């Protein structure tokens, strides 16, 4: 890589500027605009970072036009076909595929740390039954900083390694507990004779009084889905992890920010949104073509969830693989899900329709995952949680890269101010305007809050009986 060679000339307000050019191994190279403000007094403006690279990275490569995704140079298809979740975690975090000895050590370092401190039970029990499991998991990951104060120093490699094992091992346990608490089911202790994924399935679906035997097809399918979700370079949640980490916050705290970002429906929450969309179309007996017309007309701002991607302007390579897994799992479990037929119909319409073709909107990873998770027995609210378990190695790798990068500075974007110019403070009697409206609004908000609270109490009573 040939960094910081001044080869980009920019003319701005009649001034010629030579800006450092940062060359990529593959994909977009960059023009370093760091000196711009110093030289011109102006900043760049790029909402949503459509054109801004925040970092150099050697973890994941995506070619969105060609539909290519590679972790550390290895194509995602090969990893999903041949590798295991923990081997991929090792690869992402350490940069190379492990030898057998390295892998054995890594797997055992993770798999023996699945147990949560007993006090986590009361923490999880304290949340309302209908709490979203992503919120519960975010709180749980954040709480790891309180239980494991021996591994919080971001600059101590041994401590960071220990925190990484803890995250990989304990997050699936937390996910399972978040699910069981919402069901009012007893929490099981992990069984470390089992693999991480079998353990997670048992903790989620098992019963204290019976032996749980996981279906190997389901275990492998879940493993492949976790691999497909393991990293995706500088997406919203990875950027959140890096941004929080750039303030030297510890790994647990940084990753809990990533979980928050992932919960949004425009990001990881899309897999649940796809299911809700398919259910709504079925329940309302809507013709898929009519639904697509509503999407194209942007009625009520609806979108075809699970379609489109900031980076992929081609078929998401993960979506192709997911479709295959959906076929395998449904066949194995003997399930015929009409939602799969409906999703395929919507895809067929979209791929032939000018609206989607012109905007290069293709299925993303979330379009078919929900159907598989449903077949496995997960409720819709758990879909994004599964995504978060998968993404854990990527977040850890991104955070590590950030913390070791000598160019890392605290993430602190500039802004272009559009508010009032300087004005004098006005004493209360001199102010005119909207006091009554604000009071009415406040009363309406209080009333809505009171009703929501009553509804929640009533619901909890119903659940308790
Ligand atoms: N359905 C209908 N129209 C869409 C969709 C969609 N799913 N996605 C984008 N468009 C349209 C937009 O309305 C816009 O049209 P316009 O040019 O007429 O204004 C155009 O395509 C570009 O859309 P943007 O929102 O500017 O694209 P952006 O790159 O910002 O958004 C995003 C990407 C958020 C993923 C978007 O495609 C979307 O909302 N998809 C649905 C949600 C989803 O599936 N998210 C999961 C992403 S993958 C992941 O996080 C794992």
């Amino acid at each position: 890589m040939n960094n910081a060679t001044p080869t980009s000339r920019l003319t701005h307000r009649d001034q010629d500027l030579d800006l450092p050019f940062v060359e990529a191994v593959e994909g977009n190279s960059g023009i370093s605009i760091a000196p711009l403000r110093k030289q011109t007094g102006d900043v760049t403006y790029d909402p949503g970072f459509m054109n801004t690279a925040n970092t150099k990275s050697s973890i994941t490569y995506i070619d969105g036009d060609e539909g290519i995704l590679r972790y550390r140079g290895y194509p995602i298809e090969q990893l999903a076909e041949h590798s295991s979740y923990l081997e991929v975690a090792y690869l992402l975090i350490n940069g190379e595929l492990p030898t057998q000895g390295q892998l054995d050590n890594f797997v055992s370092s993770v798999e023996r740390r699945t147990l949560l401190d007993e006090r986590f039970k009361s923490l999880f029990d304290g949340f309302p039954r209908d709490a979203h499991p992503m919120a519960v998991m975010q709180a749980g990951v954040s709480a790891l900083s309180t239980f494991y104060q021996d591994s919080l120093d971001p600059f101590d490699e041994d401590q960071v390694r220990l925190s990484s094992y803890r995250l990989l091992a304990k997050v699936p346990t937390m996910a399972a507990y978040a699910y069981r608490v919402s069901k009012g089911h007893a929490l099981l202790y992990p069984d470390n004779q089992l693999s991480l994924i079998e353990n997670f399935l048992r903790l989620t679906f098992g019963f204290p009084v019976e032996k749980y035997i996981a279906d190997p097809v389901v275990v492998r399918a879940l493993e492949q889905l976790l691999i497909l979700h393991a990293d995706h370079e500088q997406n919203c949640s990875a950027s959140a992890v890096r941004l929080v980490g750039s303030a030297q916050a510890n790994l647990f705290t940084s990753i809990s920010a990533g979980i928050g970002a992932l919960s949004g429906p425009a990001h990881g929450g899309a897999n649940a949104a796809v299911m809700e969309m398919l259910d709504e179309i079925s329940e309302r007996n809507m013709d898929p073509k009519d639904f697509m017309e509503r999407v194209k007309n942007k009625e009520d701002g609806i979108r075809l969830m699970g379609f489109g991607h900031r980076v992929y302007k081609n078929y998401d390579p993960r979506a192709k693989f997911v479709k295959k897994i959906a076929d395998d799992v449904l066949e194995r479990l003997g399930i015929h899900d009409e939602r799969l037929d409906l999703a395929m119909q919507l895809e067929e319409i979209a791929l032939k329709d000018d609206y989607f073709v012109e905007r290069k909107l293709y299925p993303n990873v979330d379009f078919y995952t929900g159907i598989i998770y449903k077949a496995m027995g997960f409720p819709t609210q758990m879909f994004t949680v599964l995504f978060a378990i998968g993404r854990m190695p990527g977040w850890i790798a991104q955070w590590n890269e950030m913390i070791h990068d000598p160019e890392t500075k605290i993430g602190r974007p500039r802004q272009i101010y559009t508010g009032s110019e300087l004005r004098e403070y006005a004493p209360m009697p001199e102010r005119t305007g909207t006091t009554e409206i604000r009071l009415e609004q406040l009363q309406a908000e209080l009333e809505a809050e009171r009703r929501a609270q009553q509804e929640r109490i009533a619901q909890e009573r119903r659940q308790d009986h």
Side-chain angles (χ1 to χ4, degrees):
M1 205 186 281
N2 184 14
N3 292 336
T5 315
T7 51
S8 306
R9 172 147 294 194
L10 177 77
T11 304
H12 175 63
R13 297 189 203 257
D14 297 332
Q15 195 184 344
D16 285 337
L17 299 161
D18 284 325
L19 295 173
F21 184 64
V22 187
E23 216 172 316
V25 172
E26 281 186 274
N28 307 126
S29 291
I31 301 163
S32 167
I33 44 84
L36 195 67
R37 198 179 71 91
K38 213 169 175 188
Q39 293 184 22
T40 69
D42 290 331
V43 295
T44 50
Y45 178 57
D46 185 16
F49 308 111
M50 297 287 285
N51 201 61
T52 297
N54 177 42
T55 184
K56 296 170 195 160
S57 181
S58 58
I59 301 171
T60 289
Y61 173 66
I62 300 174
D63 182 332
D65 294 324
E66 295 297 321
I68 289 173
L69 170 60
R70 297 184 203 133
Y71 299 159
R72 301 284 189 185
Y74 297 101
I76 189 66
E77 296 82 359
Q78 289 182 22
L79 293 169
E81 189 70 49
H82 304 296
S83 191
S84 66
Y85 169 64
L86 285 179
E87 185 180 53
V88 168
Y90 184 99
L91 171 70
L92 285 167
I93 295 168
N94 297 294
E96 296 296 334
L97 283 170
T99 60
Q100 189 62 56
Q102 287 168 330
L103 182 61
D104 292 346
N105 264 336
F106 185 75
V107 169
S108 104
S109 302
V110 172
E111 288 184 345
R112 70 188 138 93
R113 290 192 161 85
T114 55
L115 193 63
L116 287 175
D117 189 288
E118 279 300 298
R119 280 163 293 186
F120 263 96
K121 287 188 180 166
S122 42
L123 178 75
F124 280 34
D125 230 14
F127 294 117
R129 286 255 181 93
D130 59 352
H132 196 290
M134 274 300 266
V136 174
M137 199 165 81
Q138 187 181 9
V141 168
S142 190
L144 288 173
S145 317
T146 68
F147 288 100
Y148 299 104
Q149 297 183 36
D150 60 337
S151 67
L152 299 183
D153 182 351
F155 301 108
D156 182 320
E157 285 192 28
D158 291 334
Q159 292 193 28
V160 170
R161 197 175 303 114
L162 189 55
S163 284
S164 308
Y165 295 147
R166 285 172 170 160
L167 277 165
L168 291 168
K170 294 180 199 302
V171 160
T173 311
M174 279 185 206
Y177 283 8
Y179 167 76
R180 292 185 84 97
V181 165
S182 75
K183 291 268 166 202
H185 290 170
L187 304 181
L188 304 184
Y189 286 107
D191 173 358
N192 288 351
Q193 302 296 315
L194 300 174
S195 75
L196 190 71
I197 293 173
E198 286 173 295
N199 218 344
F200 167 63
L201 287 168
R202 177 183 156 274
L203 288 171
T204 308
F205 298 121
F207 288 97
V209 288
E210 282 172 22
K211 190 171 162 59
Y212 179 81
I213 301 168
D215 184 321
V217 171
V218 170
V219 174
R220 182 62 194 152
L222 187 53
E223 176 143 50
Q224 288 180 315
L225 289 171
L226 297 183
I227 293 171
L228 293 176
H229 286 87
D231 192 53
H232 215 233
E233 51 119 308
Q234 309 311 316
N235 53 77
C236 179
S237 54
S239 300
V241 170
R242 278 180 177 262
L243 192 69
V244 173
S246 76
Q248 302 176 3
N250 69 63
L251 185 60
F252 300 132
T253 303
S254 307
I255 285 188
S256 103
I259 296 174
L262 191 74
S263 68
H267 191 11
N271 51 17
V274 172
M275 239 23 217
E276 281 153 16
M277 174 186 79
L278 296 175
D279 282 340
E280 197 187 331
I281 298 174
S282 303
E283 278 159 21
R284 291 207 197 166
N285 234 337
M286 248 187 265
D287 183 335
K289 286 193 189 125
D290 293 342
F291 175 77
M292 294 297 262
E293 284 307 310
R294 291 186 60 205
V295 170
K296 286 175 358 183
N297 295 333
K298 302 186 175 164
E299 274 176 44
D300 305 323
I302 54 167
R303 290 191 165 195
L304 180 58
M305 298 312 284
F307 255 69
H309 198 278
R310 171 61 58 80
V311 181
Y312 292 118
K313 301 302 168 196
N314 199 330
Y315 215 102
D316 180 335
R318 301 167 299 174
K320 277 189 203 160
F321 212 93
V322 168
K323 207 169 164 189
K324 194 171 145 293
I325 301 174
D327 290 338
D328 291 351
V329 169
L330 264 58
E331 192 192 319
R332 164 74 177 202
L333 299 179
I335 293 174
H336 177 78
D337 190 337
E338 282 173 5
R339 286 171 294 201
L340 181 61
D341 303 336
L342 177 57
M344 288 193 324
Q345 276 180 57
L346 295 173
E347 179 188 338
E348 204 184 322
I349 299 171
L351 295 182
K352 286 186 197 143
D353 191 294
D354 284 349
Y355 174 96
F356 293 90
V357 174
E358 278 162 16
R359 290 171 178 78
K360 299 188 176 170
L361 300 170
Y362 293 88
N364 60 48
V365 68
D366 287 325
F367 196 58
Y368 289 105
T369 46
I371 290 164
I372 309 174
Y373 295 146
K374 265 275 141 83
M376 289 175 172
F378 292 101
T380 309
Q381 284 204 328
M382 281 294 285
F383 295 176
T384 318
V385 172
L386 296 166
F387 190 156
I389 298 175
R391 187 50 58 86
M392 209 49 64
W395 287 332
I396 296 169
Q398 297 285 347
W399 187 93
N400 269 327
E401 190 175 65
M402 177 279 306
I403 215 80
H404 289 116
D405 184 347
E407 289 186 328
T408 292
K409 293 183 190 307
I410 184 168
R412 202 303 185 187
R414 295 274 171 180
Q415 64 169 13
I416 296 182
Y417 178 67
T418 57
S420 303
E421 288 184 296
L422 177 67
R423 49 186 173 164
E424 292 294 317
Y425 176 80
M428 192 63 80
E430 288 175 22
R431 293 180 214 166
T432 51
T434 55
T435 320
E436 289 82 28
I437 301 172
R438 282 215 206 98
L439 266 177
E440 272 172 31
Q441 254 175 10
L442 200 64
Q443 273 167 349
E445 277 168 19
L446 277 172
E447 179 57 20
E449 212 172 287
R450 193 186 60 77
R451 280 210 206 110
Q453 194 180 34
Q454 276 184 340
E455 175 54 31
R456 205 166 50 236
I457 293 167
Q459 202 177 348
E460 272 172 17
R461 282 207 188 111
R462 280 198 295 275
Q463 280 171 349
D464 284 342
H465 289 297

